[in-house]
Amino acid sequence: DQQVKQNSPSLSVQEGRISILNCDYTNSMFDYFLWYKKYPAEGPTFLISISSIKDKNEDGRFTVFLNKSAKHLSLHIVPSQPGDSAVYFCAARGDTGTASKLTFGTGTRLQVTL
Amino acid sequence: NAGVTQTPKFQVLKTGQSMTLQCAQDMNHNSMYWYRQDPGMGLRLIYYSASEGTTDKGEVPNGYNVSRLNKREFSLRLESAAPSQTSVYFCATRQGHYGYTFGSGTRLTVV
């Protein structure tokens, strides 16, 4: 049972345009959401996060939006750059214990074209 | 600072062979995790260790064992490798309150 879903396996966007990556979740107990970026042959790296008590968090070109009623979050990248080409994973935390386990989505491969 | 170091980076095993994937962190973090990444499946948690001396099963623990040797090291062992364990394995440690720092991965092929 996939609790965190990224329904678009891939996305292609022109340089300078907006990239919108989507993520849906089913577990209403998730209280914190994160986005990770992964280049080939490297481990994922943290990009941006949002608490469930907020609906928006912004960091430079990256903005994450959370719609709790729809159990949906999205990552906006504006403007998109060729270096943004990577696989993006959304993740959710539902464990408030010391382990703080994350559940990851299946990933979306973003290609930013010239 | 190396952060999270995984060895080896690549490994080919025959079905039934055993091996141990090593992970070490120099960030002095308590929690460590092992994930596997498969196409179309994302990252799935195999085992985790909330602190030195404790380990717990994640989403896909079957066929694996772990050892939290000390605060720095968290190893993943395959006792009898199967083709279904062909994957990329990532070790991670918790960074800050919520985020993880990942190693660069071990690409394992079981033939």
Side-chain angles (χ1 to χ4, degrees), chain A residues 36 43 93 98-102, chain B residues 31 33 35 48 94 98 100 103:
Chain A
Y36 285 80
R93 187 189 81 151
T98 55
S100 191
K101 301 189 299 293
L102 295 180
Chain B
S31 298
Y33 313 81
Y35 282 84
Y48 65 98
R94 184 152 56 101
Y98 308 108
Y100 290 2

Side-chain angles (χ1 to χ4, degrees), chain B residues 78-90:
Chain B
L78 287 71
E79 291 291 351
S80 179
S84 61
Q85 294 178 305
T86 293
S87 187
V88 182
Y89 292 85
F90 289 101

Side-chain angles (χ1 to χ4, degrees), chain A residues 11-60:
Chain A
L11 175 68
S12 182
V13 173
Q14 275 190 322
E15 181 181 11
R17 303 266 184 153
I18 184 171
S19 295
I20 300 177
L21 291 82
N22 294 304
C23 180
D24 297 298
Y25 61 96
T26 58
N27 189 341
S28 58
M29 299 301 293
F30 287 144
D31 68 340
Y32 206 80
F33 303 89
L34 307 91
W35 285 93
Y36 285 80
K37 178 179 181 179
K38 184 184 179 304
Y39 292 117
E42 295 183 10
T45 55
F46 171 74
L47 187 59
I48 192 169
S49 62
I50 187 168
S51 166
S52 61
I53 63 173
K54 295 186 176 181
D55 55 17
K56 177 183 175 181
N57 187 28
E58 191 172 356
D59 184 3

Side-chain angles (χ1 to χ4, degrees), chain B residues 1-7 9 22-27 29 31-34 72 74 90-94 100-105:
Chain B
N1 282 344
V4 179
T5 302
Q6 291 185 236
T7 55
K9 293 191 181 302
Q22 306 286 354
C23 176
Q25 54 112 351
D26 61 4
M27 306 171 80
H29 290 160
S31 298
M32 298 184 73
Y33 313 81
W34 276 105
R72 289 189 64 247
F74 187 38
F90 289 101
C91 176
T93 181
R94 184 152 56 101
Y100 290 2
T101 297
F102 284 87
S104 58

